Amino acid sequence: MSEQPLYQVRDVVRRYGHAARPAVDHVSLDLAAGERLGIVGESGSGKSTLVRMMAALDRPTAGSIRFRDTEISGLPERRLGFLRASVQMVFQDPRSSLDPRMTVGASITEPLRSPLLRRRAGVPADTRARLEEVMAQVGLDPADARRFPHEFSGGQRQRIAIARALAPRPQVLVADEPVSALDVSVRAQVLNLLADLVASEGLTLVLVSHDLAVVRHLCDRVAVMSSGRVVETGTVEQVWSAPRDAYTRTLLAAVPRLPLP
Ligand SMILES: Nc1ncnc2c1ncn2[C@@H]1O[C@H](COP(=O)(O)OP(=O)(O)O)[C@@H](O)[C@H]1O
Ligand SMILES: [Mg+2]
């Protein structure tokens, strides 16, 4: 029995204002449950715009995004509870994604307390217990829940953002350049944490990165974007060892070639 993809993105276009070219230009892709998809491409190629639309934080100008058979691109916020409970995002910079005036505990539990998610099937009802659980899962001391984001290092702040994303027990994690703003010395720790959580929670992953080596480490399939379009998709091995697209070859030439694990 072949399963319906979790996401079906069809001919999605996103044009900002009167920009000459759309930021996302007729993109189509499928994402199966449990799959780990990497989206790579140079800065400005439309990666963030695409995944923000998949997380319903932005709307396509044209085209269709179906999540579990529901067209999400035209839905009003009050009808998006099912998606908010199932799809959570981690952003590039925890300095801007975490509210500096909220304690770490309040930030992490905010999604659980939102009227759209509360009492929804699958979303943990015991906020305190879930807070302790996710803090421990990301390697933070639950006693730190009363502190504020500025008291933590960049890597720890990204752990807080990951705990917040995990809190509602999502099925899909969308991580947009989750280590690009961090010190090089802590990137591997945060990536390994993400890889562990994706495996232990059985998460479906959409990982945006301009760094192919990061995607190779965490993903099984990759979509390469250039100028708003997906120019190549394939398994990580296929794209890594035999890139079909000229642009992909230049991306690969820019990173050190290490043997696949
Ligand atoms: N909010 C916005 N308003 C206007 N233009 C935007 C906005 N966000 C992104 N863009 C433009 O859309 C294009 C794609 O941006 P983005 O999706 O952020 O790419 P990436 O994440 O691959 O760097 C870029 O040309 C960028 O300048
Ligand atoms: Mg981006």
Side-chain angles (χ1 to χ4, degrees):
M1 192 179 81
S2 80
E3 245 180 88
Q4 186 82 339
L6 190 60
Y7 266 106
Q8 286 177 287
V9 176
R10 289 294 176 273
D11 274 323
V12 162
V13 176
R14 174 66 165 101
R15 190 182 284 280
Y16 290 112
H18 299 289
R21 314 177 60 140
V24 167
D25 193 2
H26 293 91
V27 165
S28 298
L29 55 85
D30 284 349
L31 182 68
E35 202 167 28
R36 300 170 302 165
L37 174 70
I39 299 180
V40 296
E42 67 197 342
S43 178
S45 57
K47 307 180 297 295
S48 294
T49 303
L50 174 63
V51 299
R52 284 175 54 81
M53 290 189 287
M54 291 175 73
L57 300 175
D58 187 17
R59 285 165 193 279
T61 309
S64 147
I65 302 178
R66 296 181 80 81
F67 180 74
R68 290 189 200 139
D69 274 339
T70 302
E71 177 62 52
I72 63 165
S73 46
L75 286 184
E77 186 62 32
R78 66 186 155 74
R79 305 261 320 270
L80 282 168
F82 77 104
L83 186 92
R84 302 265 174 259
S86 306
V87 181
Q88 285 285 319
M89 229 178 131
V90 174
F91 299 90
Q92 176 170 346
D93 192 348
R95 269 175 308 220
S96 45
S97 66
L98 293 171
D99 187 334
R101 298 158 304 179
M102 277 169 91
T103 64
V104 163
S107 265
I108 293 174
T109 56
E110 191 184 28
L112 298 178
R113 291 180 283 116
S114 104
L116 270 182
L117 270 66
R118 262 175 53 206
R119 288 193 281 271
R120 191 168 281 280
V123 174
D126 186 339
T127 307
R128 264 180 90 130
R130 185 62 180 153
L131 173 62
E132 293 194 1
E133 204 168 65
V134 291
M135 284 189 79
Q137 266 186 309
V138 300
L140 293 169
D141 182 351
D144 283 341
R146 288 198 196 86
R147 303 168 85 106
F148 287 86
H150 73 264
E151 299 177 66
F152 295 85
S153 69
Q156 285 173 318
R157 272 187 286 217
Q158 199 57 307
R159 288 173 191 267
I160 296 164
I162 293 168
R164 174 185 159 97
L166 286 181
R169 287 193 202 284
Q171 179 180 13
V172 184
L173 189 68
V174 179
D176 188 355
E177 307 264 14
V179 300
S180 302
L182 305 182
D183 282 350
V184 174
S185 60
V186 300
R187 286 184 187 172
Q189 291 167 24
V190 173
L191 286 174
N192 287 336
L193 170 68
L194 276 175
D196 289 348
L197 290 168
V198 165
S200 66
E201 305 299 293
L203 292 167
T204 304
L205 177 69
V206 180
L207 175 74
V208 172
S209 180
H210 60 272
D211 185 345
L212 267 172
V214 166
V215 162
R216 200 187 55 149
H217 183 56
L218 270 85
C219 300
D220 26 55
R221 200 157 63 89
V222 58
V224 181
M225 288 189 76
S226 176
S227 304
R229 292 174 172 268
V230 170
V231 294
E232 178 158 6
T233 58
T235 66
V236 171
E237 287 84 357
Q238 277 166 359
V239 172
W240 192 263
S241 59
R244 279 178 289 113
D245 186 83
Y247 172 73
T248 310
R249 287 195 288 271
T250 50
L251 267 187
L252 280 167
V255 294
R257 301 295 305 262
L258 299 170
L260 275 171

